[in-house]
Amino acid sequence: MNKLKRLVIASIGAVAFLVATISGVSANTNGIDVASYQGTTTSYFSQFKSYGDNFTMVKLGGRGGGEGSHYVNPKAYAQIHNADAVGMQTGGYFWAQVGDSVSEATYSAQLAVQDAQNAGLAKGSYIAIDYEAGAGANKANNTTAILTFMDQIYAAGYKPMLYSGTYYVNAHIDLSRVNARYPNALWLAWYLTTAHQATPPMQYFPNYSNVKIWQYADNHYGVDGNVMVVGSIDNDKPANQTAKATNRPTGQQPAKTAKKTQYATFSGVYVADYWTKYNNKMYGVNIDMSIPVIDYNNYIPISAMTLTDRYGHKLRNQYIQGNNGRMEYFTLNGKYKVISQTATTINVEIGGEPVSMMKSFATIK
């Protein structure tokens, strides 16, 4: 992986307070992650089996930054096939330098699914978004992009996961939203040392909730060392059993919660791409939020929008400037009733009207 290795180590002093001994946490399953720099043969993976490693996360590809428009790991098929052949569980990851762009996140997720299928990664396997560079200035918008990627992975029949370093998470991501949608789906990197580590030092397990995999070393017999602290890769477990029942991105809710009213909140700062009039009422439209094909159901009543600067500070003048090419921003500060939802979309009541949008923007409770 293109990990935040040096940054993580350099920040040990600054983040030492994040690390604590966690009683009850044990190194139940050790594993590795590999990219095109690592081997592909059964003997290669058998060697790691002999070290006690029982799962492998394989780089599928990437987009953005040094990955270009679309990088595909040419060894992914052989690595997945041969790791599986020696009895190691397998998953995948995709470098997605999407920043806070929902459109980039959507496209990158499509590429990740394509790469997974071409590499023979079975449906129901985990695919992690590798998010560690290019973040935007707003945590909420970054998190929306990440959830957009994860929702697309989920909708394609795979199980989503988020990989990043603890420093990067603290600076750029709202983990509470990720954890609410996908519990126990975090893969976090934090290293005590860059020296060789044969086994994970569990007394230094990072003090975060919902961590499924801890990447504890960048030198475990020459590769990244990982330990799974919750469950397993669960390749044979359906994807729809991984998201939280009351917030999973699907229209199928458990019977006992079917009648419970849910509400959506929105924590980002959004661009008003254009303003429009419908039935003598004014509406704002954010294209990323909208569900193609755009119609009036994607329009947000202007009465619900608070005009802000790009950082979310409320403007004294709450009058729209109009479609004159000048960038305008808004927030949605209310609590909006959920009318219906699907794998990736949500229909909510805003200003007394139904508004359909991409689900990744919302926190649902």
Side-chain angles (χ1 to χ4, degrees):
M1 281 188 178
N2 300 319
K3 297 292 191 290
L4 297 162
K5 295 174 180 173
R6 302 295 170 253
L7 183 57
V8 170
I9 295 300
S11 304
I12 285 179
V15 300
F17 69 96
L18 296 171
V19 181
T21 300
I22 307 298
S23 59
V25 176
S26 61
N28 57 345
T29 307
N30 295 338
I32 60 174
D33 61 78
V34 297
S36 61
Y37 305 104
Q38 282 76 49
T40 63
T41 64
T42 53
S43 61
Y44 179 83
F45 291 105
S46 291
Q47 182 179 26
F48 284 98
K49 281 280 287 184
S50 72
Y51 299 148
D53 297 307
N54 292 300
F55 71 90
T56 301
M57 297 295 286
V58 177
K59 183 170 184 175
L60 302 169
R63 173 175 166 81
E67 308 288 85
S69 60
H70 182 204
Y71 165 76
V72 178
N73 175 13
K75 296 182 179 180
Y77 179 87
Q79 289 170 330
I80 289 170
H81 177 79
N82 289 325
D84 180 70
V86 303
M88 300 181 83
Q89 293 183 321
T90 58
Y93 67 91
F94 187 92
W95 171 276
Q97 195 164 323
V98 300
D100 58 5
S101 171
V102 169
S103 58
E104 271 296 311
T106 300
Y107 184 56
S108 292
Q110 292 169 354
L111 294 177
V113 170
Q114 173 186 305
D115 292 348
Q117 293 172 342
N118 290 339
L121 187 65
K123 287 288 186 73
S125 302
Y126 276 97
I127 297 177
I129 173 174
D130 187 348
Y131 189 93
E132 52 183 299
N138 183 276
K139 272 190 177 184
N141 294 349
N142 294 334
T143 307
T144 293
I146 290 168
L147 286 172
T148 296
F149 184 102
M150 296 178 78
D151 284 353
Q152 293 291 323
I153 296 301
Y154 179 94
Y158 290 91
K159 294 194 285 288
M161 186 180 290
L162 165 63
Y163 171 87
S164 194
T166 53
Y167 173 87
Y168 211 72
V169 161
N170 295 336
H172 302 295
I173 303 170
D174 181 358
L175 281 186
S176 65
R177 289 176 60 196
V178 177
N179 295 339
R181 182 74 58 85
Y182 296 105
N184 301 321
L186 301 181
W187 178 10
L188 291 186
W190 188 87
Y191 314 136
L192 178 65
T193 175
T194 55
H196 169 68
Q197 295 187 82
T199 57
M202 294 309 295
Q203 68 271 32
Y204 294 104
F205 180 81
N207 189 14
Y208 289 76
S209 63
N210 289 276
V211 176
K212 186 174 184 68
I213 300 176
W214 172 30
Q215 187 184 75
Y216 66 89
D218 70 343
N219 184 2
H220 169 74
Y221 300 98
V223 300
D224 294 331
N226 297 274
V227 57
M228 191 172 308
V229 295
V230 175
S232 67
I233 294 291
D234 300 328
N235 301 70
D236 58 346
K237 185 177 181 181
N240 62 14
Q241 294 182 24
T242 65
K244 187 175 179 181
T246 57
N247 199 28
R248 66 166 65 116
T250 176
Q252 301 300 317
Q253 297 293 338
K256 65 180 181 180
T257 60
K259 295 183 179 180
K260 179 182 176 181
T261 300
Q262 293 183 293
Y263 292 89
T265 56
F266 301 86
S267 55
V269 180
Y270 311 114
V271 174
D273 290 303
Y274 66 90
W275 307 96
T276 188
K277 180 178 283 189
Y278 182 83
N279 283 347
N280 294 317
K281 293 180 66 175
M282 287 298 298
Y283 298 85
V285 177
N286 175 276
I287 294 174
D288 281 338
M289 276 182 166
S290 300
I291 304 168
V293 174
I294 296 175
D295 59 24
Y296 74 93
N297 282 331
N298 299 129
Y299 297 169
I300 302 171
I302 195 172
S303 60
M305 303 167 73
T306 300
L307 299 182
T308 70
D309 62 18
R310 63 180 301 178
Y311 303 105
H313 302 127
K314 184 178 178 180
L315 300 181
R316 179 178 297 178
N317 184 351
Q318 287 293 299
Y319 293 100
I320 64 174
Q321 301 300 308
N323 303 316
N324 58 5
R326 181 178 178 181
M327 197 76 77
E328 294 182 83
Y329 302 88
F330 69 93
T331 58
L332 293 170
N333 303 318
K335 189 176 179 182
Y336 306 103
K337 180 180 178 181
V338 175
I339 300 171
S340 63
Q341 53 186 307
T342 69
T344 58
T345 67
I346 185 172
N347 191 267
V348 294
E349 184 178 302
I350 300 179
E353 301 183 40
V355 180
S356 299
M357 61 182 68
M358 301 303 294
K359 189 172 184 177
S360 55
F361 285 83
T363 298
I364 304 169
K365 295 181 180 179

